[in-house]
Amino acid sequence: MSVAQEKFSYQLPEERQQQKARPGRQLSKRAARRGKIVVTGCILALFLTGLTIAYYYAQVAAVGYQISRLQSEVANLQAEQEYLESQANQLLSLQRIEAIATTRLGMVKPDPKEVVLVAALPKSPQAASNSSTNQLNKQESSQSASGVQEQHKTGEIGKNPVIDALMDLVQRWEQKR
């Protein structure tokens, strides 16, 4: 069994009032003002920090939107480039060019008898060093060109303007040599 102890107060009521009325340590007005300024400064600093953080998050969001917009623009431009490349390939196809040449321009495929082969100049310097073979080729080409010129003058070659232009080109080239 526990027994509670009673506290006996041996003070008179007047003494009790004096004890209650005596306040604790009071702050000076200057210290109270400093405390308020410190608290206000801390609150202001927290508020400004929050504003700064919100501003940077807004900037990150704006840059993110700009990046996504530019990525969609790049995707659109890539799709357009692919489309234009396919159009260019279609326009440059040999079948299309041949169809236009035969239908719109009235061109025809040459017969194998109408084809004239022209010897090309050597590309490598080694072929140019073989002067003896070059001289023989020059003589043969001049003989064949003179033979073709005679045929051209007599009218044995057809009246094809392309062949006539080619013959004029060969004659000019022979004269420059």
Side-chain angles (χ1 to χ4, degrees), residues 75-124:
N76 289 339
L77 290 174
Q78 285 175 343
E80 183 180 357
Q81 179 184 5
E82 290 174 5
Y83 172 74
L84 292 174
E85 283 178 356
S86 68
Q87 289 292 326
N89 290 337
Q90 183 182 10
L91 292 173
L92 293 174
S93 70
L94 294 177
Q95 291 85 10
R96 182 182 175 277
I97 292 172
E98 183 179 354
I100 290 173
T102 55
T103 57
R104 291 186 189 168
L105 301 177
M107 294 182 175
V108 293
K109 289 185 179 181
D111 290 332
K113 296 176 185 176
E114 294 178 350
V115 176
V116 177
L117 297 177
V118 179
L121 296 175
K123 291 183 180 180
S124 65

